[in-house]
């Protein structure tokens, strides 16, 4: 056997061993006790109360129904109204296994799939009462409907921008032998005044975060 063949054989053996011992096996989701979105997210808080979704705008699913069970362990879709009659739609999608095959799908995908156009999109540092967090702001339109949207995603216990930050966070957990879970948290409202729509959603988000159990804040908000 030549030296080159020996080096190749050793490299292949090392790669095989690394694949076996570095393959993530511990699910972060298993560490979360009684993590049920329907129980964690209150039906009334601050100036907001839950209303029947039929009374509000059509809520856009985080993905087509045929894929929801594959992609997500839990989903929550609700519409809230305040004392002024202003409405905010809330969607939370939770996935226990954020591998490439079951990763969260973004509003930039699910909205156009349901007939909307995304006319504006930008990364944003969302200011909350618990600190700033990476989020994304979109404006979607469908005929005369204008829908400003704020969303963020978490990988494990950290909120991250999509793309490079998401991949790095997954790699970080993988090197620890852990399989991260993930959240897509989305608010939206229907209004042509997008500036007010965004402000309304930020107020809603802050009200909600202030009443969430502390032990669930990392999972839901990456704080």
């Amino acid at each position: 056997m030549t030296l080159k063949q020996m080096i190749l054989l050793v490299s292949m053996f090392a790669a095989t061993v690394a694949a076996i011992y570095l393959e993530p096996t511990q699910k972060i989701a298993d560490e979360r006790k009684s993590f049920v979105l329907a129980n964690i997210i209150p039906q009334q808080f601050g100036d907001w109360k839950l209303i029947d979704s039929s009374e509000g705008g059509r809520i856009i699913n985080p993905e087509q129904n045929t894929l929801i069970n594959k992609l997500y362990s839990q989903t929550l879709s609700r519409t809230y109204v305040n004392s002024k009659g202003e409405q905010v739609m809330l969607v939370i999608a939770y996935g226990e296994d954020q591998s490439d095959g079951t990763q969260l799908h973004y509003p930039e995908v699910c909205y156009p799939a349901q007939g909307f156009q995304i006319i504006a999109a930008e990364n944003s540092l969302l200011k909350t009462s618990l600190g700033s967090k990476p989020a994304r702001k979109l404006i979607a339109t469908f005929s005369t409907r204008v829908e400003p949207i704020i969303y963020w995603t978490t990988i494990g216990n950290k909120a991250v921008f999509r793309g490079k930050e998401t991949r790095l966070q997954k790699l970080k957990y993988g090197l620890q032998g852990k399989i991260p879970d993930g959240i897509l948290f989305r608010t939206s409202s229907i209004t042509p005044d997008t500036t007010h729509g965004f402000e309304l959603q930020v107020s809603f988000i802050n009200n909600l975060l202030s009443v969430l159990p502390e032990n669930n804040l990392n999972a839901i908000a990456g704080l």
Side-chain angles (χ1 to χ4, degrees), residues 61-70 114:
N61 289 329
E63 188 51 83
Q64 298 293 339
N65 288 334
T66 54
L67 292 179
I68 284 179
N69 291 335
K70 176 183 176 182
Q114 298 179 55

Side-chain angles (χ1 to χ4, degrees), residues 1-205:
M1 182 181 294
T2 66
L3 178 60
K4 183 177 181 180
Q5 290 174 322
M6 289 182 63
I7 293 175
L8 180 59
L9 182 62
V10 170
S11 298
M12 291 175 62
F13 177 76
T16 301
V17 172
I20 294 173
Y21 286 97
L22 292 180
E23 182 178 359
T25 57
Q26 181 184 351
K27 279 190 172 183
I28 291 180
D30 293 338
E31 302 172 5
R32 305 201 191 279
K33 305 300 182 182
S34 303
F35 189 78
V36 180
L37 291 174
N39 296 337
I40 295 170
I41 307 300
Q43 297 187 13
Q44 185 168 349
F45 54 91
D47 191 31
W48 298 94
K49 64 178 181 179
L50 178 67
I51 63 171
D52 191 302
S53 294
S54 63
E55 299 178 42
R58 176 170 66 96
I59 298 180
I60 304 304
N61 289 329
E63 188 51 83
Q64 298 293 339
N65 288 334
T66 54
L67 292 179
I68 284 179
N69 291 335
K70 176 183 176 182
L71 297 174
Y72 307 113
S73 311
Q74 299 179 51
T75 58
L76 180 78
S77 298
R78 290 179 177 175
T79 301
Y80 289 84
V81 65
N82 64 13
S83 58
K84 297 179 181 179
E86 298 170 312
Q87 296 182 7
V88 169
M89 294 174 285
L90 170 67
V91 172
I92 306 177
Y94 172 67
E96 292 185 356
D97 181 353
Q98 285 308 289
S99 62
D100 289 338
T102 54
Q103 61 187 341
L104 300 170
H105 281 204
Y106 300 98
E108 289 93 333
V109 175
C110 60
Y111 269 80
Q114 298 179 55
F116 284 75
Q117 286 187 313
I118 304 295
I119 63 171
E122 65 175 2
N123 286 340
S124 174
L125 284 176
L126 184 66
K127 294 181 179 180
T128 76
S129 56
L130 301 174
S132 297
K133 60 185 295 73
R136 194 156 169 82
K137 292 182 176 180
L138 311 176
I139 299 175
T141 62
F142 184 88
S143 185
T144 59
R145 169 168 166 165
V146 181
E147 187 170 344
I149 302 160
I150 296 175
Y151 81 89
W152 68 72
T153 56
T154 65
I155 298 296
N157 291 320
K158 184 176 181 181
V160 291
F161 286 122
R162 60 183 296 185
K164 182 179 178 181
E165 283 193 17
T166 294
R167 292 192 295 272
L168 288 175
Q169 188 68 2
K170 288 182 179 181
L171 177 60
K172 176 183 175 181
Y173 278 109
L175 292 174
Q176 298 172 12
K178 295 182 177 181
I179 300 172
D181 53 1
I183 284 275
L184 187 148
F185 181 106
R186 189 188 84 210
T187 58
S188 63
S189 49
I190 301 174
T191 173
D193 185 348
T194 57
T195 298
H196 177 67
F198 286 129
E199 291 173 349
L200 181 69
Q201 292 172 53
V202 170
S203 175
F204 173 90
I205 289 168

